[in-house]
Short mmCIF file of all heavy atoms in Angstrom, two decimals:
data_model
loop_
_atom_site.label_atom_id
_atom_site.label_comp_id
_atom_site.label_asym_id
_atom_site.label_seq_id
_atom_site.Cartn_x
_atom_site.Cartn_y
_atom_site.Cartn_z
N GLN Q 48 -91.64 27.20 -9.65
CA GLN Q 48 -90.52 27.20 -10.71
C GLN Q 48 -90.77 26.14 -11.82
O GLN Q 48 -90.64 26.33 -12.98
CB GLN Q 48 -89.18 27.31 -10.14
CG GLN Q 48 -88.11 27.67 -11.19
CD GLN Q 48 -86.79 28.03 -10.57
OE1 GLN Q 48 -86.70 28.53 -9.45
NE2 GLN Q 48 -85.65 27.51 -11.20
N ALA Q 49 -90.88 24.93 -11.35
CA ALA Q 49 -91.09 23.82 -12.28
C ALA Q 49 -92.18 23.93 -13.11
O ALA Q 49 -92.15 23.58 -14.24
CB ALA Q 49 -91.13 22.48 -11.49
N ASP Q 50 -93.34 24.47 -12.71
CA ASP Q 50 -94.54 24.70 -13.43
C ASP Q 50 -94.23 25.79 -14.58
O ASP Q 50 -94.62 25.59 -15.65
CB ASP Q 50 -95.69 25.27 -12.68
CG ASP Q 50 -96.21 24.13 -11.80
OD1 ASP Q 50 -96.06 22.89 -12.04
OD2 ASP Q 50 -96.75 24.53 -10.63
N LEU Q 51 -93.48 26.82 -14.15
CA LEU Q 51 -93.12 27.84 -15.10
C LEU Q 51 -92.29 27.32 -16.15
O LEU Q 51 -92.45 27.68 -17.28
CB LEU Q 51 -92.48 28.98 -14.31
CG LEU Q 51 -92.18 30.18 -15.00
CD1 LEU Q 51 -93.40 30.82 -15.69
CD2 LEU Q 51 -91.46 31.25 -14.09
N VAL Q 52 -91.28 26.53 -15.78
CA VAL Q 52 -90.36 25.99 -16.79
C VAL Q 52 -91.13 25.12 -17.79
O VAL Q 52 -90.94 25.14 -18.95
CB VAL Q 52 -89.24 25.23 -16.15
CG1 VAL Q 52 -88.41 24.38 -17.12
CG2 VAL Q 52 -88.35 26.04 -15.33
N ARG Q 53 -92.05 24.23 -17.28
CA ARG Q 53 -92.82 23.48 -18.16
C ARG Q 53 -93.67 24.25 -19.13
O ARG Q 53 -93.80 23.95 -20.39
CB ARG Q 53 -93.84 22.50 -17.40
CG ARG Q 53 -93.19 21.19 -16.95
CD ARG Q 53 -94.30 20.18 -16.38
NE ARG Q 53 -94.78 20.74 -15.15
CZ ARG Q 53 -94.11 20.34 -13.92
NH1 ARG Q 53 -93.10 19.66 -14.06
NH2 ARG Q 53 -94.56 20.78 -12.88
N LEU Q 54 -94.22 25.36 -18.66
CA LEU Q 54 -94.99 26.19 -19.43
C LEU Q 54 -94.14 26.92 -20.55
O LEU Q 54 -94.50 26.91 -21.76
CB LEU Q 54 -95.62 27.37 -18.74
CG LEU Q 54 -96.44 28.42 -19.40
CD1 LEU Q 54 -97.73 27.88 -19.95
CD2 LEU Q 54 -96.68 29.51 -18.41
N VAL Q 55 -92.97 27.39 -20.15
CA VAL Q 55 -92.08 27.88 -21.15
C VAL Q 55 -91.68 26.98 -22.27
O VAL Q 55 -91.64 27.17 -23.42
CB VAL Q 55 -90.84 28.55 -20.53
CG1 VAL Q 55 -89.73 28.95 -21.41
CG2 VAL Q 55 -91.21 29.77 -19.64
N LEU Q 56 -91.24 25.85 -21.80
CA LEU Q 56 -90.66 24.82 -22.71
C LEU Q 56 -91.83 24.25 -23.62
O LEU Q 56 -91.61 24.04 -24.79
CB LEU Q 56 -89.99 23.62 -21.95
CG LEU Q 56 -88.85 23.88 -21.13
CD1 LEU Q 56 -88.18 22.66 -20.49
CD2 LEU Q 56 -87.87 24.47 -22.15
N GLY Q 57 -93.08 24.15 -23.14
CA GLY Q 57 -94.20 23.73 -23.89
C GLY Q 57 -94.50 24.84 -24.98
O GLY Q 57 -94.92 24.54 -26.14
N SER Q 58 -94.38 26.09 -24.52
CA SER Q 58 -94.63 27.19 -25.51
C SER Q 58 -93.68 27.22 -26.65
O SER Q 58 -93.93 27.42 -27.84
CB SER Q 58 -94.62 28.46 -24.69
OG SER Q 58 -95.69 28.53 -23.81
N VAL Q 59 -92.42 26.98 -26.32
CA VAL Q 59 -91.31 26.95 -27.24
C VAL Q 59 -91.46 25.73 -28.18
O VAL Q 59 -91.39 25.95 -29.48
CB VAL Q 59 -89.89 26.95 -26.56
CG1 VAL Q 59 -88.82 26.72 -27.69
CG2 VAL Q 59 -89.74 28.05 -25.73
N ALA Q 60 -91.88 24.59 -27.66
CA ALA Q 60 -92.16 23.57 -28.53
C ALA Q 60 -93.29 23.68 -29.50
O ALA Q 60 -93.28 23.37 -30.63
CB ALA Q 60 -92.39 22.17 -27.58
N ALA Q 61 -94.28 24.33 -28.95
CA ALA Q 61 -95.44 24.63 -29.94
C ALA Q 61 -95.20 25.56 -30.93
O ALA Q 61 -95.59 25.56 -32.14
CB ALA Q 61 -96.68 25.20 -28.98
N LEU Q 62 -94.36 26.53 -30.60
CA LEU Q 62 -93.76 27.52 -31.72
C LEU Q 62 -93.01 26.80 -32.74
O LEU Q 62 -93.18 27.08 -33.89
CB LEU Q 62 -93.15 28.65 -31.06
CG LEU Q 62 -93.90 29.62 -30.16
CD1 LEU Q 62 -92.90 30.64 -29.58
CD2 LEU Q 62 -94.82 30.35 -31.06
N GLY Q 63 -92.22 25.85 -32.32
CA GLY Q 63 -91.42 25.16 -33.36
C GLY Q 63 -92.30 24.26 -34.25
O GLY Q 63 -91.91 24.06 -35.31
N ALA Q 64 -93.34 23.63 -33.59
CA ALA Q 64 -94.28 22.89 -34.45
C ALA Q 64 -95.12 23.61 -35.39
O ALA Q 64 -95.40 23.01 -36.50
CB ALA Q 64 -95.18 22.07 -33.55
N GLU Q 65 -95.27 24.87 -35.12
CA GLU Q 65 -96.02 25.75 -36.24
C GLU Q 65 -95.12 26.10 -37.35
O GLU Q 65 -95.72 26.52 -38.41
CB GLU Q 65 -96.49 26.95 -35.48
CG GLU Q 65 -97.57 26.69 -34.43
CD GLU Q 65 -98.09 27.91 -33.73
OE1 GLU Q 65 -97.69 29.04 -34.07
OE2 GLU Q 65 -98.80 27.72 -32.76
#
Side-chain angles (χ1 to χ4, degrees):
Q48 189 170 324
D50 295 334
L51 185 59
V52 169
R53 271 192 288 278
L54 179 67
V55 169
L56 294 179
S58 297
V59 170
L62 288 173
E65 291 177 7

